[in-house]
Amino acid sequence: MELTKKHIVFTLGVSIPLDESLQFNKQLESKILYEQLLYESFLDSIKQYAQDKFNTVVNTIKDWKDAAVVIGKVLSDGNLLDNFLGPLERRVTRLIKPLTTFLQKIGLNKFVDIIINFIQKIKSLTGWKKFMTLVTIGTIITYIIEKLKGTPNDIKNFIVQYFSGDFINDVIEKLTDWKSYLGWLQPIVEGVEVIYNFLKPLLQEFSKALQSGDKWALKLIREKKMKYKLVKKVNEVEAEIPSSIVTISKDLADQSSNFKQINTKDKMVQLFDVMVAKIKENNPEFAEGSAFKQALIAIYNKYK
């Protein structure tokens, strides 16, 4: 995937100051590289999970492979991701009313503000992590409204368990690979039906919008015009993406076929040594940090 300024800002979610005199400092270089590694690793894990299904068109989510296909295709295309985020955010916002009604009926309306607060924080995110966090909170809210049974105390315990603390970081920490994310979400919502119920209106409308000039499509066009102004500003930043980031990112992509052919532990260690040496040479401070270690784990999971 081409590492452009637009990709860095709107897919990876890394802020680039809109200042023509900007120079990419080492901290920003490290952030971009780290986010790119995690993004590539997560996307590749989706493709591996979906396997042959990834090349098919999915209109109905019948299993978790179908869910992986839909999510993977959106994350694979920066323009598609941009198109999905606005409607997805509105879809989550529209769940607040039925959620409020449901919780008020059982005397738990005080928890509405807690969940709304998380939604507002998610809206301030950008890129693929915002998409995944919106999908997650929308699916869990849909589960609460449609499926969650038990006494008010049971429901209270469920909400406290999953919406107390730092819910957003809890989700983001699971975005190292699809199976880790799925292993966390699936037991919460008890199957794939709920995620389909949440995404179904969006999938249907999005499909129609691609085929006709309906209102939903026109709304997307207006959103794209607004986004274009910001994209134009991002692209006008004069500072070039550092060659170290471009080189390392390209090297990792080129190594893909080599990793697939590795059949001994020694060969894998050898290739990792080459990559670690490149990164240490270009950014020694980053190489000593915990983010670099997490990125290496993500790459290992991607190609193991």
Side-chain angles (χ1 to χ4, degrees):
M1 183 166 293
E2 188 180 0
L3 199 62
T4 63
K5 292 168 192 168
K6 181 181 175 183
H7 172 76
I8 291 169
V9 174
F10 297 112
T11 298
L12 300 185
V14 178
S15 298
I16 297 178
L18 302 180
D19 181 351
E20 291 185 0
S21 64
L22 167 75
Q23 294 296 320
F24 282 79
N25 58 39
K26 292 295 183 183
Q27 186 177 7
L28 184 56
E29 287 184 34
S30 300
K31 176 70 172 174
I32 293 169
L33 178 59
Y34 171 62
E35 293 296 342
Q36 179 68 11
L37 291 176
L38 290 182
Y39 165 77
E40 286 186 1
S41 178
F42 187 74
L43 183 57
D44 192 71
S45 71
I46 289 179
K47 293 177 181 178
Q48 289 183 25
Y49 182 88
Q51 296 181 342
D52 293 343
K53 256 190 176 180
F54 196 79
N55 297 319
T56 63
V57 176
V58 172
N59 295 314
T60 303
I61 298 177
K62 301 183 291 297
D63 55 35
W64 286 107
K65 281 192 175 182
D66 289 339
V69 171
V70 171
I71 290 172
K73 285 187 179 296
V74 173
L75 296 185
S76 297
D77 186 323
N79 290 325
L80 201 56
L81 177 61
D82 284 347
N83 284 346
F84 244 96
L85 278 174
L88 181 61
E89 187 176 298
R90 288 192 291 274
R91 173 80 178 120
V92 170
T93 302
R94 283 196 292 269
L95 291 175
I96 293 174
K97 185 175 180 181
L99 176 68
T100 302
T101 302
F102 172 77
L103 293 179
Q104 283 177 339
K105 282 182 179 179
I106 56 177
L108 296 177
N109 47 301
K110 68 177 183 178
F111 289 101
V112 174
D113 289 339
I114 294 174
I115 297 175
I116 290 176
N117 183 49
F118 281 124
I119 292 173
Q120 293 305 320
K121 288 181 179 178
I122 292 169
K123 287 181 179 181
S124 67
L125 299 176
T126 53
W128 74 281
K129 289 182 179 178
K130 177 178 183 177
F131 175 83
M132 290 303 304
T133 312
L134 283 171
V135 168
T136 304
I137 197 169
T139 300
I140 295 176
I141 292 174
T142 301
Y143 174 77
I144 293 172
I145 296 169
E146 295 183 359
K147 298 286 184 181
L148 189 56
K149 307 296 182 186
T151 66
N153 197 52
D154 292 333
I155 295 170
K156 173 185 174 181
N157 290 338
F158 178 91
I159 294 173
V160 168
Q161 181 178 357
Y162 294 111
F163 287 107
S164 291
D166 199 344
F167 169 78
I168 296 173
N169 278 342
D170 287 345
V171 176
I172 290 175
E173 285 177 359
K174 303 300 182 296
L175 301 181
T176 53
D177 67 272
W178 175 253
K179 286 185 178 179
S180 295
Y181 171 74
L182 203 57
W184 175 78
L185 179 64
Q186 188 171 7
I188 299 174
V189 299
E190 299 180 350
V192 75
E193 180 185 358
V194 176
I195 194 170
Y196 175 54
N197 289 346
F198 167 62
L199 289 175
K200 181 164 56 176
L202 197 63
L203 292 176
Q204 292 172 342
E205 292 298 321
F206 193 76
S207 178
K208 285 193 296 183
L210 292 177
Q211 299 172 19
S212 64
D214 64 8
K215 291 181 180 178
W216 202 79
L218 294 174
K219 186 178 290 185
L220 285 181
I221 292 171
R222 287 197 295 272
E223 288 176 351
K224 290 295 286 184
K225 285 183 177 179
M226 293 174 64
K227 178 64 72 65
Y228 171 76
K229 293 179 181 179
L230 185 54
V231 171
K232 189 171 183 289
K233 287 183 179 180
V234 169
N235 288 335
E236 285 174 351
V237 173
E238 288 187 353
E240 293 297 321
I241 299 171
S243 59
S244 58
I245 296 178
V246 177
T247 301
I248 293 171
S249 181
K250 185 177 183 301
D251 286 344
L252 290 171
D254 290 344
Q255 289 286 9
S256 176
S257 60
N258 292 336
F259 272 114
K260 304 296 184 185
Q261 297 168 19
I262 290 174
N263 54 16
T264 70
K265 182 178 179 181
D266 288 343
K267 288 183 181 178
M268 177 170 278
V269 170
Q270 205 171 35
L271 281 170
F272 265 92
D273 284 344
V274 172
M275 287 192 301
V276 170
K278 282 179 178 290
I279 294 174
K280 283 185 173 180
E281 179 185 348
N282 286 286
N283 198 337
E285 289 183 12
F286 176 57
E288 295 300 322
S290 59
F292 176 60
K293 293 172 185 174
Q294 188 176 351
L296 280 182
I297 292 170
I299 289 295
Y300 173 78
N301 288 332
K302 177 176 179 178
Y303 294 112
K304 67 182 179 180

